[in-house]
Amino acid sequence: MPAAAQSETIAVFYQSPSLAPLLQALQGAWPEAQWAVWPEVAPQATKAVVWAPTQAFIDQHPHLQYLFNMGAGVDALLQLQLPEQLQVVRIEDGGMAVQMAEYVTYAVLRHVREFDHYAHSQAKAQWQPRAMQQRADFPIGVMGLGVLGAHVAKVLAGLGFEVNGWSQSPKQIEGVHTYAGEGELSAFLQSSRILVCLLPLTPATEGILNRAHLQQLQAGAYLINVARGGHLVEADLLALLEEGHLAGAMLDVCQPEPLPPEHPFWRHPRIALTPHISAQTGQQEAAQQITANARRIASGQAPHGLVNRSGGY
């Protein structure tokens, strides 16, 4: 019997209508475990599977050593008061990479192929073909080259776009011109006309989509934010749209979520909004990844997706 399959109690915090399918997936992947679902408390538990847990949940499980987060982003989780010994493990993919590539590809092609123009023409019963735009005129910059960002960059490069990638530390991705660190951020921005944000939200990246950075993009730039609303300075986006430096934006994330009904993004003619659906964790994939990581821990290895709590990702 694999070490990770030995019976133990795993605490679960997942307040969602999709809890039952998740539990079924977890039980199928790790049938020997016992699952204590909040508000049931298992103070002896050393592992927990969570999505947006409360401080009360953390406090009532003082022996936790590993927290398996059901998502790639951990910014909200790290705002809680977590015990020193607690290690946070995020989902690295969980079926999200393919979904994210689909969403970003759609957003890019919607802009480059001018599908919004054709939708407006249809509404007016007007047959108005436009001259084809060249991919070479739309170099794409992907900010954040983790598992999701790297996959998105490779898919876009495979479609024939010139793709630039930027990350805090150097990365090598076939078919992608990569930049790293603050010293290369300006060169990255200036080489891009479409900007895709896939960065983790940390103190260093909060507000990074601001006027100083967005105005370095090539004229007529287009913004796609599928990371966190906290990356974007909203007033700067609206001003640059008004000035014409930015042609538009597609936003899957905002701050707060959901946006209040009076927020200007709802009715802006050059902003497309979706309700944080660009990539959702696949429960079967996540259950398999969590179980594989539990086996790694039991065999004395570090789990994949281990979060650097001081760095924020």
Side-chain angles (χ1 to χ4, degrees), residues 107-126:
V108 167
L109 295 180
R110 172 177 172 164
H111 176 60
V112 173
R113 295 295 303 271
E114 301 186 280
F115 287 126
D116 283 341
H117 162 79
Y118 294 118
H120 293 315
S121 294
Q122 179 182 352
K124 299 176 182 178
Q126 295 175 340

Side-chain angles (χ1 to χ4, degrees), residues 95-290:
M96 291 184 286
V98 170
Q99 297 175 64
M100 190 65 78
E102 291 172 342
Y103 183 101
V104 173
T105 299
Y106 165 76
V108 167
L109 295 180
R110 172 177 172 164
H111 176 60
V112 173
R113 295 295 303 271
E114 301 186 280
F115 287 126
D116 283 341
H117 162 79
Y118 294 118
H120 293 315
S121 294
Q122 179 182 352
K124 299 176 182 178
Q126 295 175 340
W127 192 271
Q128 293 182 325
R130 293 167 71 92
M132 184 178 71
Q133 302 196 97
Q134 301 298 319
R135 278 177 170 75
D137 294 332
F138 293 89
I140 302 171
V142 178
M143 299 184 83
L145 298 176
V147 172
L148 302 185
H151 184 71
V152 167
K154 287 187 284 189
V155 168
L156 293 171
L159 289 173
F161 286 97
E162 176 188 335
V163 180
N164 308 300
W166 181 84
S167 53
Q168 296 284 358
S169 56
K171 301 285 178 66
Q172 296 295 323
I173 301 173
E174 185 176 357
V176 178
H177 184 188
T178 56
Y179 301 78
E182 292 299 317
E184 296 184 347
L185 179 56
S186 289
F188 161 78
L189 293 168
Q190 292 166 17
S191 67
S192 305
R193 188 174 175 189
I194 296 176
L195 183 65
V196 182
C197 182
L198 274 157
L199 290 166
L201 183 62
T202 69
T205 64
E206 185 171 5
I208 196 169
L209 301 176
N210 55 39
R211 171 180 282 276
H213 290 147
L214 294 176
Q215 67 184 3
Q216 294 184 59
L217 296 169
Q218 295 178 11
Y222 192 81
L223 173 66
I224 302 167
N225 189 11
V226 286
R228 288 289 188 269
H231 288 118
L232 177 64
V233 179
E234 296 180 351
D236 291 353
L237 170 63
L238 291 170
L240 289 167
L241 287 169
E242 181 67 24
E243 294 164 16
H245 183 71
L246 294 184
M250 187 161 183
L251 309 175
D252 185 52
V253 289
C254 300
Q255 193 174 32
E257 292 181 1
L259 285 178
E262 67 277 8
H263 197 284
F265 283 1
W266 285 115
R267 297 165 189 84
H268 197 288
R270 285 181 286 162
I271 293 178
L273 284 177
T274 53
H276 206 147
I277 49 78
S278 55
Q280 302 176 59
T281 304
Q283 292 166 345
Q284 291 290 341
E285 294 92 337
Q288 293 294 332
Q289 188 176 131
I290 289 169

